[in-house]
Amino acid sequence: MSNAPALRANLVCTSFNQINSKGLFVGDDPLDYSVPALLLQLSLISVFTRIIQSLLKPLGQPLIVSQILGGVILGPSIIGKNGELSSKVFPSKGRSVLDTVSVFGFMLFIFQIGVKIDLSIVLKSSRKALAVGILGFFVPFGLASFTAFLLEKFLSLDQELITLLSRVVILQSMTAYPGIACFLDELKILNSEIGRLASSSSIICDICHWTILSLKYALELAKAKSVRVTLGSLVSGALYILVIAFGIRPAILWAIRQTPEGKPVKNVYVFVVLVLLLWCGFTGEAIGLSSIVACFLFGLVIPDGPPLGSAIVEKLDCFVSVLLMPPFFTICGLQMNVFSIVRLRNVGVLQLVVLVAFIGKIMGTILPLLFWRVPLRDAFSLALIMNSKGIMELAFLNDFKKNKDTSEENYTIMLISVVVITGVISPLVKVLYDPSRRYIAYKRRTIMHSRENDELRILACIHSQENVRAVISLLQVSNPTKESHVNLVVLHLTKLSGRASSVLVAHRKRDKPSLNPTQSERIFNAFEKFGQQNNDLIMVQCYKGISPYATMHNDVCSLALEKRTTLIIVPFHKHWIFEKRIETSYAYRHLNKNVLEKAPCSIGILIVRGSTKKSRYAITVPSLYRVVVLFFGGADDREALSYAERMSGHPSVQMTLIRFTRSSSSENIVGGTERSKVLDTQILSEFNNRFLRSEQVSYQEAEVNRGADVLEVIKSLGNFYDLVMVGRRHIDSPILLQLTKRNNEDGELGVIGELLAASDIESETSVLVMQQQTRLWGLHDPEESTHLRRISL
């Protein structure tokens, strides 16, 4: 007999063509066939993942934790411990199909990430992001490497663990951009200050990681293989990059130029890209580059955002994220067996390296941020985010296990550390970091509290070209003068689509005007031309914000804070065409509510009920512009009246103030604090004294006893006025409470605003619903401030 060591292998015998079952009644076991087995596996994975997600979401756990735990429950740790059940539902012969589906899903996911990445972020990265990215990789890398060296020297470790430690050091030092992008999106801080810094820093960190990994791969390849094999691998990889960069990318740019702005990209272009994706994946496998890396590089050459990038992402996103990616995470859990952990020494060694790398990354992130005087709380939040683990770490662990670089025990230990770290970091970041905290202003930023010759700082939010005409019309009558000019910031808000990182950038004019300007350029050109026609009395700055609808308010509030804005103007989430109300996305409604809640200054919601068939860009000054203010009482009505008083200085404006009182007394019909009532009396007294003999300003009183009387007055306005102004909040009013029963919608306009925007009010008059600044540092009730300085016009 031979003395050679016996080779042990798991052999799986399976029959060919066992794809579809003929059914139980014919004697077939459906689980012996690949299609029904795959369908059952996908169903179980989806159900268990959703159940766990619904249980863990209130605890602030990200989706990746639920998906991994779903696999753990189905795997040998819990349900799969029953060998008979596991062999029927997840048999070895059926696992290859599920593994193939998961790898294919991961390939498409990484391709999507490549498409979403804007490589210009690297070139535009601030010194802060560069420092965090570089130190955030090399500090943990150095500390963890030194720790691993000491463990190897002073402890007798087996060779497998020694080999694994070098890989764990690199794994724990990396901060993968795909995982960070998903993590920030789930936390809804993608377009916050820390979110943007984390995105930029993670890309820099990724570059450091892949550079080290490439050098290590090249050295290992040179040692293990011949020079011919090494050169062949490197040359073929370089040739592949040249082909996609200088062959495929120009063709893609040509296809984008053939697509008019705002129009969907042709399906044939998407089809060609998807075929090229499959070809790139095959080529990557053929030259030893791996289909994952090849598809990621191909995704990088496709420009992010519309038209092509967003079209590809939208077509793939649901299919990949809902159907193909859950099996990838679940398989990680299926390969994990907590009962395989028998050597506590291995647990201690691996977790010590993980802990040192964790602390090192916190140090590498916090130190440069403290140098730039970032608040410690925000710096620590970013350090935790940079430590979060995601899909790329799981992919590396799976690769280690597939290549037999780690045992089942060590794989389980590392997977537990990934789940624990991510599971702890997510709720911690939610507690520590709230972007809206920084939106609290340290001084009054309202029109009412502005001094006589202060400039009026306005931030106008624009969703589309249809909003331009209405905002320009409002700005025309805002009475800019040499003593008190208007400083206008225009923010074009765009939904994040086909990109992984949010953007908030100042608009830069092209050297030569384009024959086919983008929608943003047309909007900005209209406002810049308007500013020039007003003899520089209106100074215009233009910005473009690209972010998810859920966090779009962060762009609005942060820009308002930076520009020390007095008034934010946002369009209403509905518009009218030929007297018919057209519903727009409820995302705009959510945006408006968030801005109202978190803005550092006053807000005006602009409702335009006129026909949109008129010119989009009104630049002629109207000969007569009638404004009416409905005054019930309260801080918001005072802000509306203050803005209207400023307008009354314009020669074309005729202003009317209608004060609503009870028939039995001359008091306001709303409640509020005594301080608020005093301020109401003061502002009305000053108004009467100032405009007593003015021919452009008139004062009326409307006596009402019930809600129907208020409604009658509003209907009587008809189309006589061009603009109706009213405050948003009217508290403690039994009369207005009667009108809330009439409005079934829980809108953002308040009781009177919702009435003016109601479909049964036959009017084409524009409406501006005002809310005075609500967030002021050190004051729970902003009306406690005793400072009341008015604009004299």
Side-chain angles (χ1 to χ4, degrees), residues 20-167:
N20 297 98
S21 167
K22 295 180 181 178
L24 292 169
F25 299 106
V26 212
D28 284 351
D29 184 352
L31 296 180
D32 288 337
Y33 296 82
S34 55
V35 170
L38 178 64
L39 295 177
L40 178 62
Q41 291 163 359
L42 292 176
S43 302
L44 288 174
I45 289 169
S46 301
V47 169
F48 275 87
T49 299
R50 284 296 170 185
I51 291 174
I52 297 172
Q53 184 188 6
S54 63
L55 295 174
L56 296 183
K57 193 173 183 180
L59 302 177
Q61 295 303 311
L63 180 59
I64 184 175
V65 172
S66 305
Q67 290 171 327
I68 294 174
L69 291 181
V72 172
I73 292 174
L74 291 171
S77 298
I78 302 179
I79 294 179
K81 195 175 181 182
N82 183 326
E84 185 178 348
L85 180 62
S86 178
S87 63
K88 290 298 291 181
V89 179
F90 293 99
S92 299
K93 63 181 179 181
R95 279 285 294 276
S96 60
V97 178
L98 187 62
D99 287 344
T100 304
V101 169
S102 70
V103 172
F104 181 66
F106 180 62
M107 184 188 81
L108 293 179
F109 175 80
I110 290 299
F111 167 70
Q112 280 185 282
I113 292 295
V115 173
K116 292 179 180 181
I117 290 179
D118 180 8
L119 287 178
S120 64
I121 290 179
V122 180
L123 301 177
K124 297 175 184 176
S125 295
S126 63
R127 287 182 296 173
K128 192 190 303 181
L130 284 170
V132 170
I134 294 172
L135 291 178
F137 177 81
F138 285 105
V139 171
F141 181 77
L143 291 177
S145 297
F146 182 66
T147 303
F149 170 74
L150 293 178
L151 290 171
E152 291 174 23
K153 187 172 183 179
F154 294 104
L155 296 179
S156 56
L157 306 178
D158 58 73
Q159 188 58 43
E160 180 206 331
L161 190 56
I162 293 174
T163 305
L164 180 62
L165 280 180
S166 64
R167 301 180 186 276

Side-chain angles (χ1 to χ4, degrees), residues 356-515:
V356 170
F358 184 90
I359 295 172
K361 192 170 285 288
I362 288 180
M363 292 170 55
T365 303
I366 287 182
L367 290 177
L369 292 180
L370 293 180
F371 175 78
W372 269 283
R373 297 182 180 179
V374 174
L376 180 60
R377 186 167 179 165
D378 290 354
F380 186 61
S381 299
L382 179 60
L384 290 176
I385 292 171
M386 296 291 284
N387 260 309
S388 64
K389 305 302 176 187
I391 188 170
M392 293 304 299
E393 288 81 3
L394 295 179
F396 277 106
L397 285 176
N398 282 345
D399 192 55
F400 296 164
K401 193 162 190 307
K402 183 184 73 174
N403 296 332
K404 296 184 171 33
D405 292 329
T406 181
S407 63
E408 184 181 32
E409 178 185 18
N410 292 333
Y411 174 85
T412 301
I413 295 169
M414 290 305 302
L415 194 60
I416 289 175
S417 73
V418 168
V419 174
V420 170
I421 289 173
T422 306
V424 170
I425 284 176
S426 182
L428 270 179
V429 173
K430 286 185 176 181
V431 171
L432 290 172
Y433 184 66
D434 178 12
S436 64
R437 274 203 333 267
R438 61 186 295 267
Y439 304 146
I440 299 177
Y442 288 88
K443 62 177 291 186
R444 282 294 204 168
R445 291 184 180 174
T446 70
I447 299 174
M448 176 179 164
H449 294 86
S450 298
R451 290 176 293 188
E452 182 177 351
N453 293 325
D454 281 353
E455 65 179 357
L456 178 59
R457 296 174 177 265
I458 295 178
L459 171 61
C461 300
I462 305 295
H463 297 305
S464 65
Q465 296 176 70
E466 280 67 30
N467 303 138
V468 174
R469 175 180 165 269
V471 174
I472 288 181
S473 297
L474 181 63
L475 293 170
Q476 283 176 331
V477 296
S478 293
N479 193 32
T481 63
K482 291 183 179 179
E483 294 77 21
S484 178
H485 55 265
V486 172
N487 190 329
L488 173 66
V489 177
V490 180
L491 175 58
H492 181 206
L493 294 167
T494 308
K495 177 188 175 184
L496 183 72
S497 177
R499 304 173 62 104
S501 300
S502 62
V503 175
L504 179 60
V505 292
H507 170 64
R508 292 184 179 179
K509 280 188 175 181
R510 303 192 193 192
D511 296 332
K512 294 181 180 179
S514 173
L515 297 176

Side-chain angles (χ1 to χ4, degrees), residues 428-710:
L428 270 179
V429 173
K430 286 185 176 181
V431 171
L432 290 172
Y433 184 66
D434 178 12
S436 64
R437 274 203 333 267
R438 61 186 295 267
Y439 304 146
I440 299 177
Y442 288 88
K443 62 177 291 186
R444 282 294 204 168
R445 291 184 180 174
T446 70
I447 299 174
M448 176 179 164
H449 294 86
S450 298
R451 290 176 293 188
E452 182 177 351
N453 293 325
D454 281 353
E455 65 179 357
L456 178 59
R457 296 174 177 265
I458 295 178
L459 171 61
C461 300
I462 305 295
H463 297 305
S464 65
Q465 296 176 70
E466 280 67 30
N467 303 138
V468 174
R469 175 180 165 269
V471 174
I472 288 181
S473 297
L474 181 63
L475 293 170
Q476 283 176 331
V477 296
S478 293
N479 193 32
T481 63
K482 291 183 179 179
E483 294 77 21
S484 178
H485 55 265
V486 172
N487 190 329
L488 173 66
V489 177
V490 180
L491 175 58
H492 181 206
L493 294 167
T494 308
K495 177 188 175 184
L496 183 72
S497 177
R499 304 173 62 104
S501 300
S502 62
V503 175
L504 179 60
V505 292
H507 170 64
R508 292 184 179 179
K509 280 188 175 181
R510 303 192 193 192
D511 296 332
K512 294 181 180 179
S514 173
L515 297 176
N516 297 304
T518 64
Q519 183 186 40
S520 294
E521 288 175 327
R522 286 194 288 267
I523 290 171
F524 297 153
N525 290 341
F527 280 102
E528 287 169 352
K529 182 178 179 181
F530 170 65
Q532 293 167 4
Q533 290 181 341
N534 280 272
N535 301 318
D536 296 326
L537 297 178
I538 297 180
M539 297 183 295
V540 180
Q541 303 173 66
C542 298
Y543 287 79
K544 182 172 184 178
I546 304 175
S547 56
Y549 281 135
T551 57
M552 198 172 276
H553 61 278
N554 284 331
D555 286 344
V556 179
C557 296
S558 61
L559 193 59
L561 189 70
E562 178 187 338
K563 299 298 180 181
R564 293 178 293 169
T565 300
T566 308
L567 175 66
I568 298 173
I569 298 174
V570 293
F572 189 43
H573 71 274
K574 303 172 186 175
H575 65 276
W576 282 254
I577 298 179
F578 298 119
E579 300 181 359
K580 292 183 179 180
R581 190 177 72 184
I582 304 297
E583 297 284 348
T584 61
S585 172
Y586 277 93
Y588 293 157
R589 179 189 224 175
H590 180 72
L591 166 66
N592 291 352
K593 286 187 174 182
N594 280 330
V595 172
L596 288 166
E597 180 184 347
K598 300 176 180 179
C601 59
S602 296
I603 307 105
I605 299 179
L606 184 59
I607 307 162
V608 182
R609 300 189 56 153
S611 172
T612 57
K613 292 296 183 181
K614 297 178 183 178
S615 172
R616 285 174 173 171
Y617 311 123
I619 54 176
T620 57
V621 180
S623 57
L624 180 62
Y625 194 87
R626 298 185 179 91
V627 178
V628 61
V629 180
L630 307 181
F631 192 92
F632 296 86
D636 296 349
D637 280 0
R638 294 194 295 271
E639 188 72 2
L641 180 55
S642 300
Y643 192 16
E645 286 186 18
R646 180 186 175 98
M647 292 180 180
S648 66
H650 194 286
S652 300
V653 171
Q654 285 189 356
M655 173 194 160
T656 301
L657 171 63
I658 301 178
R659 182 192 179 192
F660 288 80
T661 62
R662 295 178 185 273
S663 301
S664 56
S665 66
S666 60
E667 294 182 359
N668 293 342
I669 65 173
V670 299
T673 63
E674 288 301 320
R675 175 65 186 162
S676 180
K677 293 176 182 178
V678 169
L679 292 175
D680 286 344
T681 303
Q682 183 177 347
I683 196 171
L684 290 171
S685 176
E686 291 181 3
F687 174 85
N688 288 324
N689 292 335
R690 183 173 293 114
F691 300 108
L692 183 62
R693 298 180 181 179
S694 174
E695 295 181 356
Q696 287 185 264
V697 180
S698 61
Y699 173 81
Q700 301 174 17
E701 287 194 358
E703 296 182 349
V704 293
N705 289 317
R706 51 199 179 94
D709 297 338
V710 176

Side-chain angles (χ1 to χ4, degrees), residues 702-723:
E703 296 182 349
V704 293
N705 289 317
R706 51 199 179 94
D709 297 338
V710 176
L711 184 60
E712 194 64 32
V713 174
I714 290 175
K715 287 185 176 180
S716 69
L717 300 177
N719 291 316
F720 181 76
Y721 296 98
D722 298 288
L723 178 67

